[in-house]
Amino acid sequence: MPNRLENKVAVITGAASGQGRLAAQLFDSEGAALVLADLDADGLAETAAWLTSAAAPPITVVGDLTQEDANERLAQAALDAHGRIDALYNAAGLVRFSPLHETSLEDWRFVLDHELTMVFLTCKHVLPSMMEAGRGSIVNVSSVSGYSSGSKRHPAHAAAKAAIAGLTKQVAVEYGSYGIRCNAIAPGFLIYAEGQRRIAGQSGSGPPKEAVPLGRHVAPEDTALCALYLASDESAMVNGQTLVVDGGRSIT
């Protein structure tokens, strides 16, 4: 079914590269009007320049989404340009890996700010307009590290991603009566092709691909397709769920 996001306004964070950029390209091809956010101005401009099928030229917002003012600007930019926000895909995130006993308080707070606080703030600032409209879909990014497949050197990351799954359920319960859905994607170990990720050193070390029943690790295209489904009306009765995208790794 083509044009699954036709006549929808979608906000995507982390759109300068990786999962966010792939989602922007996919949402664009499905007819969405896009509002893209990232701290990386150059990467965000590259993403916007590559979009050719958009219903309207993409709006870009450069800012630190761990801060309230950047989230206020992001939501207002979408409303100023389009008058509403139909979907939010929270793909932004930064992480630092270390064993718990070697994790500094600075690194702990960095990960919580850049993986959990950003999700809280972005949701907070898009919800009022969604409530007024009586509809909306929020898609967050959790991780299998947060609840099933434990990985070494992931304490802050696992804690943040588990919290995102819990926050997702809370939003789903509290705002479902307004017609707002909130779901999360929990990827397994992500492999980026050359040039897909602008920030090095973010992946850590994953299990051998032979440990995955489907025989390969997750690609950002896999998560983008799931985000498209959850943002679209095809998932109209899916709410408060965390969709695991790991090739079956977490069930072995």
Side-chain angles (χ1 to χ4, degrees):
M1 181 185 299
N3 298 320
R4 285 175 282 183
L5 297 181
E6 188 174 12
N7 299 320
K8 292 188 182 296
V9 178
V11 173
I12 301 176
T13 70
S17 69
Q19 297 179 71
R21 175 176 283 181
L22 267 291
Q25 292 170 329
L26 182 59
F27 283 28
D28 171 72
S29 71
E30 292 287 344
L34 296 177
V35 182
L36 309 177
D38 206 290
L39 186 60
D40 178 359
D42 292 340
L44 197 59
E46 284 181 5
T47 299
W50 290 346
L51 303 181
T52 58
S53 304
I59 305 298
T60 58
V61 177
V62 178
D64 180 358
L65 294 177
T66 67
Q67 302 302 309
E68 193 128 32
D69 65 327
N71 287 277
E72 291 172 347
R73 288 192 295 108
L74 174 58
Q76 194 60 52
L79 295 176
D80 288 346
H82 302 291
R84 68 186 195 279
I85 300 169
D86 298 303
L88 165 66
Y89 180 31
N90 270 318
L94 292 172
V95 65
R96 294 173 180 173
F97 297 109
S98 59
L100 183 61
H101 71 284
E102 295 178 0
T103 300
S104 67
L105 182 58
E106 177 189 358
D107 283 353
W108 176 266
R109 287 174 171 164
F110 176 91
V111 175
L112 293 188
D113 278 349
H114 288 84
E115 294 201 318
L116 177 59
T117 300
M118 281 201 300
V119 172
F120 152 64
L121 286 173
T122 312
C123 289
K124 173 183 175 180
H125 287 283
V126 303
L127 277 167
S129 64
M130 288 183 173
M131 292 165 67
E132 184 176 353
R135 65 181 183 275
S137 176
I138 295 173
V139 184
N140 298 323
V141 178
S142 180
S143 170
V144 294
S145 295
Y147 72 96
S148 62
S149 297
S151 300
K152 294 180 179 180
R153 305 180 72 250
H154 280 55
H157 176 67
K161 292 304 188 180
I164 287 172
L167 177 62
T168 295
K169 293 177 182 179
Q170 180 65 29
V171 173
V173 169
E174 190 155 356
Y175 298 96
S177 62
Y178 292 94
I180 299 168
R181 299 182 295 111
C182 187
N183 295 285
I185 300 167
F189 185 68
L190 270 157
I191 294 289
Y192 294 95
E194 186 175 353
Q196 284 185 329
R197 183 82 170 174
R198 288 172 59 87
I199 299 175
Q202 289 290 303
S203 294
S205 57
K209 64 182 181 179
E210 291 77 16
V212 181
L214 289 183
R216 70 171 177 87
H217 292 304
V218 183
E221 292 87 348
D222 298 316
T223 59
L225 285 165
C226 288
L228 171 62
Y229 166 69
L230 292 172
S232 76
D233 293 338
E234 292 176 4
S235 58
M237 282 299 288
V238 181
N239 192 27
Q241 304 303 307
T242 297
L243 181 59
V244 176
V245 184
D246 72 346
R249 169 72 175 118
S250 58
I251 62 173
T252 59

